[in-house]
Amino acid sequence: MTRLSHAPSRPPERTRSCPLAHRITPTPIATSRNVLSTAIALMCLSHLPASAADTAPARAEPSLREVVISASRADAFSDDQPMSLDVLNQADIERGLVTDIRAAADALPNVSVPRGPSRFAITGVANNTGRDGNAGFSIRGLGGNRVLMMVDGIRVPHSYIFGGNAFGRDYVSMDLVKRIEVLRGPSSALYGSDGLAGLVNIITPEPADFLRTQADGRKAVGGRVSATWTGDNRGLALAGTVAGQAREDLDWLVTASGRQGHGHSTLGTVDTPDTRRTTANPQDDTDQALLAKLVYRPGGGQKHVLTAEHVGKRSDINLLSSRSTLPLSGTPAVMAGAILDERAHNRAERDRLTWEANVPVNSALADTVHTLLGVQRAHARQTGWSDRNTLSDRERDTTYSERTWQASVQAMRAVDLGQGWLRTVTYGLDHQRMDVRNLYTGINPLAPEVFPLKRFPDTRESGTALYAQGEWQNDSIHITPGLRWDHFNVNVLSQGGFYPPAKLPARSLAGSALSPKLGVLYTVAPGWRVFGQYAGGFRAPNAAQVNGYFENAAEQVVIVPNPDLKPEKSRSVEVGVRGRTGSLSVDAAVFASQFSNLIVENSFVSGTGTAADPKRFQTVNTEKARIHGFELKARQALGQWGGGQWSLPLSYGWARGTNSLTGKPLNSIEPAKLTVGLDVHTATWSVQAVARHHAAKTADDIDSPGLIKAPKTQITTPAATTLDVLGQWRITPAMRLNVGLYNLTNRKYWLWSDVRGLDAATPVADAYTQPGRHLHVSLVFDF
């Protein structure tokens, strides 16, 4: 979507008091109080009278209002939404040198993307650390499949983890991205299953984005080329886009990109080819992406968009960190099974074809109708080979695939109710069907398994939903109620390859869920609004959770299906304030969420570990949880000095989570993160210094037995502050050089999401450190 401009608002009157100071209640911990006090002080700066030393205020310029689609499933101004959300537009992505989804989350409070180092194991003790790469978004303490990810409204494939295999959700190329919209809190009232904790909607560009001119005209042909170097993985990327007008009513676009890189560096110094290694394993990564679009406008306000997209990612990894230390030692059994060499190859591909249409109908039931039809195929394969000392070598070849059909019809009707009130109703029907398959094969299986086999049967997951959302608004208030009803099915398509070896045939499951929401936004003063929202979310069980099966005769362990699983549910309340004045922009919110029927995979249920009574594990609905927290985003304009416009951006996120049944902390909660910057902009260049502070993850905030078996304890992470410097030089109006120097002080630090499950006594903790000082550079040219 384009960003629209509106007339500049009237500058606020300057007083000696801050109108926000009495409206925000600090969080109960000292750190949060200090940060919040600082933020309020910064906000108040914009309301103090100017001193004689102040420079003359800059001439008022029209402000730009961000348009989003995810908050209401239709174009709407982000500031008008009664909820917390973030938008990264194309300029943010370019200036921030955002090359993957993990970098996209860096500056967003209470948002993260886990990524461990590639230190997984092909055989032996199950270990999948780092095999899923950028695993997917976590919002307010919950991640994985509990966050709904979409590209242009089409769902991104799920993650799947079993044993030494982990399939992540990074089926995205940033070279194809125009905008990222992040909705915090449950989003099921509009989008259904998986919107338990939030929504990330990734928007790709259209031809018009490259055909506009500065004079609001249109070019016949336009586009962009770019080259990027990333120092943390010694990566090089090339991308190019060409768009044009085939005729007055038909535009087209083609984008192609390629990336090559290596394993992300660490601040480890041990470079031995064995388990003592703390430097990154040798790794070669290759990414390729292609996007093609046709946009047809036959007249009468109609718009039809046909999109084809391909994303392919490959990694070849030499697992030096798996090799046994030479000379070999230990018992004869240990020496016989010693790993002499271990290598892995990971491949993931996603292909989609979609057709979208917006058609004005101007009837009593709808002003416009929006339809979406899409088909998507995702296929991931992970292979590995182990050379053992005297025991037989092992090979593992695992595939996971999803083929999805998605369709929706949505209508919108707006009515002027008079006396300044406008009512808008959005309602529609969604249907999706996904065929999920897996295959596990190789050489030298563990008894009693025989290759090939399936960990869960071929399954069709489908869902049908009806939803409606209303909006009542005037100049001061915006009320948004909504309700969605979903019916879901997990249908077994075939028992082939699953039963046997499973002792019992797989079973199907069906259920339904209601997801409500109610949002209110109220203007309390010019430029200041308060908002509140109550929202519900749910996530249906998936095929692997319902019918997953595994048996290990050596350890007398069995994982059994559970066809009685219920959907996970969430209920969340948030209250916030949003301010937009001549020099200050601020968003702050507090939230509290309740989660029930949380699905815990492979939970111990019975058994003594003997042949007659093996230990039985099962995926069950056992947990309830509470998560609460606070978020702040602000930008204070500091005025002009030295020919540049100076500003101070700030963001802060803090959350705490508790298992309601045990009273123990939730391990998925990230420590607090504070980001403070200093921006300078001129007509030809800009520079931004960014300090990021990651709070410590201490032992009293960790349920250590929930992550690692006693007597071992979970590693903690100390607090750390890093400094980045980013700059852009606009060489010509069409050419830009972007440079970023990251971790300027070469600070050694760890992120909690990357070390969960790591033994505190490990001698290779440095293998999990973040990259040291490194450089990113990109050159972008528009034509």
Side-chain angles (χ1 to χ4, degrees):
M1 303 297 158
T2 60
R3 294 191 297 171
L4 306 181
S5 62
H6 71 304
S9 57
R10 178 176 60 89
E13 295 181 0
R14 295 186 180 271
T15 67
R16 293 185 178 271
S17 63
C18 174
L20 270 187
H22 67 284
R23 292 196 182 113
I24 301 179
T25 303
T27 52
I29 64 173
T31 302
S32 296
R33 285 200 302 268
N34 294 338
V35 172
L36 189 56
S37 299
T38 302
I40 294 177
L42 291 173
M43 298 174 195
C44 293
L45 287 175
S46 65
H47 297 272
L48 295 176
S51 66
D54 290 337
T55 59
R59 184 176 58 187
E61 297 289 345
S63 60
L64 296 177
R65 300 184 67 191
E66 196 77 58
V67 175
V68 298
I69 191 170
S70 304
S72 59
R73 294 186 63 147
D75 291 354
F77 290 125
S78 59
D79 283 353
D80 294 342
Q81 305 309 305
M83 65 184 69
S84 295
L85 56 87
D86 295 289
V87 180
L88 288 178
N89 58 36
Q90 198 281 325
D92 299 325
I93 293 171
E94 180 185 317
R95 284 192 61 221
L97 292 159
V98 175
T99 57
D100 57 23
I101 61 174
R102 182 175 168 101
D106 276 349
L108 304 182
N110 286 331
V111 179
S112 63
V113 174
R115 182 188 66 213
S118 296
R119 292 184 68 93
F120 52 90
I122 303 301
T123 60
V125 178
N127 175 20
N128 51 48
T129 302
R131 198 160 194 184
D132 49 357
N134 293 317
F137 285 88
S138 176
I139 298 178
R140 291 178 173 175
L142 291 181
N145 297 326
R146 289 166 173 156
V147 172
L148 177 58
M149 285 182 63
M150 301 190 301
V151 176
D152 291 338
I154 300 296
R155 291 168 176 255
V156 170
H158 290 118
S159 65
Y160 169 62
I161 299 174
F162 186 88
N165 296 103
F167 299 91
R169 309 190 71 192
D170 192 6
Y171 292 85
V172 177
S173 171
M174 295 303 299
D175 298 311
L176 308 185
V177 175
K178 169 187 173 181
R179 188 173 72 251
I180 301 176
E181 301 176 358
V182 180
L183 269 60
R184 304 165 183 274
S187 57
S188 294
L190 283 177
Y191 295 99
S193 181
D194 301 345
L196 194 76
L199 163 71
V200 178
N201 194 12
I202 297 168
I203 312 296
T204 61
E206 292 190 357
D209 298 316
F210 300 94
L211 299 178
R212 295 189 186 93
T213 65
Q214 292 184 347
D216 293 329
R218 280 173 60 84
K219 298 180 290 187
V221 176
R224 174 176 298 152
V225 293
S226 65
T228 304
W229 164 262
T230 50
D232 56 344
N233 68 342
R234 294 172 292 127
L236 176 65
L238 299 174
T241 298
V242 179
Q245 289 182 275
R247 58 190 195 209
E248 187 175 348
D249 58 357
L250 183 64
D251 296 343
W252 57 270
L253 173 148
V254 176
T255 296
S257 71
R259 290 178 178 267
Q260 289 185 333
H262 306 279
H264 287 84
S265 61
T266 73
L267 282 177
T269 57
V270 180
D271 200 37
T272 57
D274 53 43
T275 55
R276 298 170 297 176
R277 185 182 186 88
T278 59
T279 57
N281 283 317
Q283 179 171 331
D284 293 319
D285 299 324
T286 303
D287 300 351
Q288 295 178 336
L290 178 68
L291 176 74
K293 282 194 177 184
L294 288 175
V295 178
Y296 176 52
R297 294 181 174 87
Q302 291 191 51
K303 179 182 176 181
H304 301 262
V305 182
L306 182 65
T307 304
E309 180 188 15
H310 167 78
V311 176
K313 302 195 174 194
R314 289 171 172 79
S315 295
D316 290 290
I317 308 162
N318 185 355
L319 293 165
L320 297 181
S321 60
S322 294
R323 295 184 183 183
S324 301
T325 304
L326 299 177
L328 298 178
S329 61
T331 66
V334 170
M335 294 181 65
I339 302 297
L340 303 182
D341 192 11
E342 196 161 66
R343 299 171 188 263
H345 175 72
N346 299 339
R347 185 185 73 189
E349 295 180 333
R350 179 175 64 88
D351 297 281
R352 74 172 171 106
L353 180 65
T354 58
W355 168 70
E356 282 188 89
N358 282 290
V359 180
V361 292
N362 300 319
S363 72
L365 296 178
D367 298 323
T368 60
V369 172
H370 175 267
T371 59
L372 171 65
L373 293 174
V375 58
Q376 178 174 267
R377 171 191 172 273
H379 180 83
R381 182 180 183 184
Q382 296 182 348
T383 58
W385 168 75
S386 296
D387 177 11
R388 300 192 294 174
N389 185 25
T390 58
L391 295 180
S392 300
D393 294 346
R394 282 180 174 162
E395 291 185 12
R396 295 292 184 265
D397 187 345
T398 305
T399 60
Y400 175 81
S401 66
E402 296 181 3
R403 185 180 292 273
T404 304
W405 293 262
Q406 191 170 325
S408 67
V409 178
Q410 175 180 296
M412 186 170 66
R413 173 69 167 151
V415 177
D416 186 348
L417 301 178
Q419 298 183 340
W421 282 92
L422 177 68
R423 181 189 68 200
T424 304
V425 177
T426 303
Y427 59 98
L429 169 69
D430 284 346
H431 178 76
Q432 64 174 5
R433 190 183 78 186
M434 180 172 64
D435 290 348
V436 189
R437 290 178 168 83
N438 77 107
L439 183 65
Y440 197 80
T441 187
I443 297 175
N444 195 9
L446 297 174
E449 295 184 327
V450 177
F451 289 152
L453 59 82
K454 295 178 182 292
R455 296 296 180 197
F456 60 87
D458 294 346
T459 305
R460 175 166 294 166
E461 299 178 13
S462 60
T464 302
L466 294 170
Y467 64 91
Q469 175 176 283
E471 296 180 67
W472 282 260
Q473 58 185 314
N474 60 18
D475 290 339
S476 61
I477 193 168
H478 190 164
I479 304 171
T480 310
L483 182 66
R484 179 180 173 115
W485 174 82
D486 282 88
H487 180 77
F488 62 87
N489 290 276
V490 181
N491 293 320
V492 175
L493 297 176
S494 169
Q495 302 287 350
F498 176 77
Y499 167 73
K503 295 294 192 297
L504 296 172
R507 291 167 53 188
S508 299
L509 176 148
S512 61
L514 279 175
S515 302
K517 66 173 288 188
L518 176 62
V520 178
L521 183 143
Y522 180 67
T523 301
V524 295
W528 294 99
R529 294 172 166 182
V530 295
F531 66 88
Q533 178 175 260
Y534 168 82
F538 89 100
R539 180 175 77 103
N542 62 38
Q545 293 171 332
V546 174
N547 286 308
Y549 183 86
F550 171 75
E551 189 173 0
N552 185 337
E555 299 182 9
Q556 302 301 334
V557 167
V558 62
I559 298 174
V560 297
N562 184 358
D564 298 318
L565 284 175
K566 300 178 178 64
E568 298 179 313
K569 293 185 178 181
S570 63
R571 295 291 184 265
S572 179
V573 176
E574 68 171 321
V575 178
V577 60
R578 184 174 292 144
R580 304 288 185 265
T581 72
S583 62
L584 175 68
S585 170
V586 61
D587 294 83
V590 293
F591 63 89
S593 302
Q594 298 275 355
F595 301 88
S596 60
N597 291 333
L598 287 180
I599 296 175
V600 180
E601 297 186 4
N602 303 332
S603 177
F604 175 72
V605 292
S606 66
T608 59
T610 65
D613 185 25
K615 291 183 179 179
R616 296 175 69 252
F617 293 83
Q618 190 178 47
T619 298
V620 292
N621 296 103
T622 59
E623 288 192 359
K624 297 182 179 181
R626 302 187 304 271
I627 298 177
H628 65 280
F630 170 77
E631 293 155 356
L632 171 69
K633 296 175 295 181
R635 178 177 287 271
Q636 174 69 58
L638 302 177
Q640 289 185 329
W641 183 78
Q645 181 70 43
W646 294 65
S647 63
L648 183 69
L650 177 147
S651 70
Y652 178 73
W654 172 88
R656 285 291 182 271
T658 305
N659 185 316
S660 301
L661 299 180
T662 65
K664 296 181 179 180
L666 289 183
N667 292 319
S668 59
I669 303 295
E670 291 289 316
K673 180 173 66 175
L674 169 67
T675 302
V676 180
L678 182 63
D679 283 3
V680 186
H681 287 263
T682 73
T684 58
W685 58 266
S686 62
V687 175
Q688 180 182 42
V690 182
R692 291 190 176 91
H693 177 76
H694 299 270
K697 189 70 171 181
T698 57
D700 60 357
D701 194 32
I702 301 172
D703 177 12
S704 192
L707 288 172
I708 196 167
K709 293 182 179 179
K712 296 179 179 180
T713 58
Q714 164 67 41
I715 194 172
T716 59
T717 58
T721 301
T722 63
L723 178 63
D724 305 332
V725 178
L726 296 85
Q728 183 181 79
W729 176 29
R730 290 173 283 281
I731 303 170
T732 70
M735 182 179 294
R736 301 173 297 281
L737 177 67
N738 303 283
V739 180
L741 183 58
Y742 295 87
N743 197 0
L744 185 64
T745 61
N746 209 36
R747 177 66 184 270
K748 180 188 286 188
Y749 69 105
W750 295 259
L751 295 181
W752 168 247
S753 60
D754 298 347
V755 301
R756 285 167 51 190
L758 186 63
D759 182 2
T762 179
V764 294
D766 285 358
Y768 295 78
T769 53
Q770 298 304 298
R773 185 186 302 114
H774 60 281
L775 184 71
H776 287 192
V777 180
S778 77
L779 182 64
V780 182
F781 176 70
D782 293 327
F783 60 88

